[in-house]
Amino acid sequence: MIKALQLRINLQQERQPDGLLNKAAYDLGMKSSEISGIKILRKSIDARKRNIMFNYKVEVYINEPVPETSDYHFDYKDVSNAKPIHIIGFGPAGMYAALRCIELGFKPIVLERGKNVQDRRRDLKAINQDHFVNEDSNYCFGEGGAGTYSDGKLYTRSLKRGDVRRIFENLVYHGATDQILVDAHPHIGTNKLPKVVQNIRENIIKFGGEVHFETRVTDFTIKNNKIVAIQLNNDNELDVEKVILATGHSARDIFYLLNDKKIKLEAKSFAMGVRVEHPQDIIDGIQYHCKGEQRDELLPAASYSLVQQVNDRGVYSFCMCPGGFIVPAATANGEVVVNGMSPSKRNNKFANSGIVTEINADKDLYKYEHFGALKALEYQKDLERLAFTAGGRRQSAPAQRLTDFVEGKLSSSLNETSYQPGLKSAPLHSLLPKIIGGSLRKGFKAFGEKMKGYYTEEANIIGVESRTSSPVNIPRTETLEHPEIANLFPCGEGGGYAGGIISAAMDGERCAEAACV
């Protein structure tokens, strides 16, 4: 017999080896010896009150064994001599598109401008230490995409776009911990995700697919409203039948290429702002009601989610990284972009989060109208150049104490930071456009009311957080093809159809299913 239960246990019960078992037996009115095992389906923490509780969704197996294998099976077959599908980009969308092509009996040929996960490390080091950005290999470009070295958070609200569980099970199949199947906000971590990504690549190659690194697409040959060939940076040309475009939202050269070829694009609303960084102890104290004390060892580094309406414009936290680092996410020299990441243990002494506000492409960018579909992209670029100048024309980032930013004064000194290239004090309150700076200043005040202790001079704000989502939408029809180019399948974040690792992976699968017919 199998019984489904919702269980709540406190810290003391969580600390006991048989705490969950005893709670299940008590709720079912039976002896714990009658229970063969418990399968945990979901786990979350309720820290709204001082008596912190753990919520479990479980299946209790009574007088029968707990199954050891997953209900999901991945039917990979040899596609060495199968019909090819060309995939541009090897982030989550491209990886999952390639895996799905193999399941469907097609040969994926992946073209990735960046390097593999191992070789990327040297280029990341050059950004942090030498302030030099390799425009093809950085925190955004390379095997696994931006998520590989900027956190690996797996939370998504896109539950209607595909089978979320299937994506998680596939990550476990390729080496991720099965804890991601349980946690309410699953996370792999930047120290572990590269190995999972490498395993996916090796599996694609094992079953006959191809993955080509340092291979950037420079041009398309279009005839009769179809792409018939792709030109590459190594002067090679590939004949193609179907193309899945999964380049991510930072591949600006692709947007310019499509625009130059008069292929339809649309400006897309997005969000911009800053990163705010607190000592993790402050966030733990607020969320776990333990100010002045260390959090309980059973509790993870605390996170938060905040939102506030300011003059009918949303201001909200984005990509919150407890126990994490702030990293330089620029994709070209002459710009500064910041992002956040966390290792799997989330044991760094800082917490950081993007705090961003909405930029409406139809209403807010009237000075950029002459750029047409690329107006939001150009606005984004201008703020990244401004950050570069304000940061000292290096990868150092402009920063300000949180309280000084809200009060409108330059910080005479800054707090310690996790951002390796360093910080430079700058008046972000006056440098940021009013539409962003004004909204953020009011938003931070409101957040301080919602989380007592959040508004503090011990926090830095660091600019700019500008790559939240694509500023360009590549339209597609119900068949997932571009309305003008019949064999082009815009995919994932770069097309404007995803907002993170899981939603991009799901969209990659959908595009593969559409292309493999």
Side-chain angles (χ1 to χ4, degrees):
M1 185 191 312
I2 303 173
K3 289 278 190 179
L5 284 183
Q6 302 277 352
L7 302 175
R8 279 172 64 83
I9 64 176
N10 59 31
L11 272 167
Q12 183 178 354
Q13 291 170 309
E14 177 75 7
R15 192 170 281 110
Q16 298 168 357
D18 294 330
L20 194 62
L21 174 65
N22 293 334
K23 175 63 174 173
Y26 177 83
D27 284 13
L28 291 171
M30 61 174 57
K31 297 178 180 178
S32 58
S33 59
E34 297 177 70
I35 296 175
S36 307
I38 296 176
K39 183 177 181 180
I40 300 172
L41 303 179
R42 183 66 69 196
K43 178 183 179 181
S44 63
I45 296 173
D46 183 354
R48 289 173 294 179
K49 298 180 179 179
R50 186 169 293 276
N51 185 25
I52 295 170
M53 304 295 290
F54 292 79
N55 295 324
Y56 284 92
K57 179 181 179 182
V58 302
E59 288 179 344
V60 181
Y61 287 74
I62 303 166
N63 296 321
E64 64 176 280
V66 179
E68 295 182 3
T69 59
S70 169
D71 294 333
Y72 285 81
H73 301 281
F74 301 98
D75 184 21
Y76 298 125
K77 59 199 72 174
D78 186 356
V79 294
S80 303
N81 299 312
K83 189 174 180 180
I85 302 285
H86 287 80
I87 301 170
I88 305 175
F90 200 49
M95 288 191 298
Y96 272 80
L99 289 171
R100 191 68 181 128
C101 283
I102 292 172
E103 288 186 282
L104 296 172
F106 287 75
K107 177 177 181 174
I109 300 176
V110 180
L111 310 173
E112 166 57 49
R113 70 188 298 165
K115 300 177 183 179
N116 65 45
V117 285
Q118 294 85 1
D119 292 342
R120 281 179 78 179
R121 295 179 190 273
R122 286 190 288 272
D123 296 314
L124 303 187
K125 183 178 179 181
I127 299 173
N128 283 304
Q129 296 187 1
D130 304 326
H131 298 252
F132 174 78
V133 180
N134 181 328
E135 298 187 5
D136 286 320
S137 178
N138 43 61
Y139 276 95
C140 291
F141 299 150
E143 184 173 20
T148 303
Y149 287 109
S150 51
D151 207 56
K153 282 186 291 295
L154 305 177
Y155 181 65
T156 181
R157 294 184 177 90
S158 304
L159 303 181
K160 296 181 180 179
R161 296 188 185 186
D163 188 343
V164 176
R165 178 74 180 202
R166 173 184 158 86
I167 302 299
F168 285 109
E169 291 276 4
N170 195 285
L171 286 168
V172 173
Y173 177 88
H174 285 100
T177 171
D178 58 7
Q179 190 65 32
I180 67 172
L181 304 175
V182 172
D183 289 342
H185 290 268
H187 169 254
I188 296 179
T190 52
N191 54 321
K192 294 186 176 180
L193 191 55
K195 180 59 178 174
V196 177
V197 168
Q198 179 182 330
N199 290 342
I200 290 174
R201 178 236 303 167
E202 290 174 350
N203 216 28
I204 290 169
I205 295 171
K206 173 184 174 181
F207 287 98
E210 298 178 12
V211 181
H212 301 274
F213 294 113
E214 299 183 70
T215 305
R216 178 165 38 87
V217 172
T218 58
D219 205 355
F220 300 125
T221 300
I222 299 173
K223 293 182 181 178
N224 299 322
N225 296 323
K226 285 189 175 183
I227 297 176
V228 296
I230 292 174
Q231 286 76 46
L232 306 175
N233 59 326
N234 55 14
D235 294 327
N236 286 345
E237 181 174 276
L238 301 176
D239 294 334
V240 300
E241 292 189 21
K242 293 184 179 178
V243 177
I244 296 175
L245 186 63
T247 48
H249 61 52
S250 291
R252 290 169 171 168
D253 56 327
I254 292 295
F255 295 138
Y256 287 122
L257 174 60
L258 296 175
N259 192 61
D260 289 345
K261 289 190 167 295
K262 311 299 182 186
I263 295 173
K264 185 177 181 180
L265 300 172
E266 298 167 349
K268 177 178 162 291
S269 298
F270 66 115
M272 290 188 70
V274 296
R275 279 263 146 193
V276 61
E277 184 172 59
H278 290 79
Q280 182 65 50
D281 288 347
I282 289 179
I283 304 302
D284 288 344
I286 297 169
Q287 299 295 68
Y288 293 142
H289 322 285
C290 61
K291 292 181 181 179
E293 305 173 18
Q294 283 194 322
R295 70 174 186 271
D296 191 282
E297 61 182 6
L298 293 180
L299 297 172
S303 63
Y304 59 83
S305 177
L306 293 166
V307 63
Q308 179 70 28
Q309 287 295 312
V310 176
N311 299 328
D312 297 321
R313 188 183 302 276
V315 176
Y316 57 93
S317 58
F318 171 83
C319 184
M320 199 275 147
C321 300
F325 303 84
I326 297 179
V327 297
T331 52
N333 292 292
E335 63 191 29
V336 164
V337 181
V338 292
N339 196 359
M341 55 155 279
S342 298
S344 58
K345 292 183 179 180
R346 289 181 160 171
N347 56 357
N348 189 43
K349 62 182 180 180
F350 296 104
N352 74 78
S353 178
I355 303 294
V356 297
T357 189
E358 300 168 341
I359 305 297
N360 188 302
D362 295 324
K363 300 178 181 179
D364 297 333
L365 305 178
Y366 58 92
K367 292 183 179 179
Y368 291 78
E369 287 296 336
H370 59 287
F371 289 110
L374 302 183
K375 59 184 177 182
L377 186 154
E378 294 296 336
Y379 179 82
Q380 183 188 62
K381 284 176 62 176
D382 276 356
L383 263 68
E384 293 170 3
R385 293 186 190 116
L386 179 149
F388 178 75
T389 301
R393 305 188 69 80
R394 293 160 55 84
Q395 283 302 303
S396 308
Q400 206 167 358
R401 289 181 185 252
L402 173 57
T403 49
D404 289 342
F405 173 74
V406 173
E407 294 167 13
K409 58 184 182 182
L410 183 68
S411 297
S412 58
S413 64
L414 297 170
N415 297 300
E416 187 182 356
T417 182
S418 65
Y419 184 72
Q420 288 189 34
L423 304 180
K424 183 176 179 7
S425 181
L428 286 169
H429 63 276
S430 60
L431 291 175
L432 290 172
K434 186 177 180 180
I435 197 173
I436 296 176
S439 297
L440 294 184
R441 291 165 77 181
K442 291 180 180 178
F444 278 125
K445 275 192 173 181
F447 295 162
E449 292 297 316
K450 294 179 179 182
M451 288 179 63
K452 300 299 184 183
Y454 181 91
Y455 181 68
T456 171
E457 66 175 9
E458 293 184 63
N460 289 328
I461 65 159
I462 301 170
V464 289
E465 169 76 62
S466 54
R467 306 284 179 96
T468 59
S469 65
S470 178
V472 179
N473 174 244
I474 307 174
R476 66 189 188 191
T477 66
E478 291 182 359
T479 64
L480 306 189
E481 294 171 285
H482 191 277
E484 298 172 349
I485 309 298
N487 62 341
L488 177 64
F489 296 82
C491 181
E493 290 199 24
Y497 300 102
I501 291 173
I502 300 303
S503 58
M506 287 192 292
D507 200 58
E509 289 205 332
R510 289 184 64 211
C511 287
E513 290 163 1
C516 294
V517 294

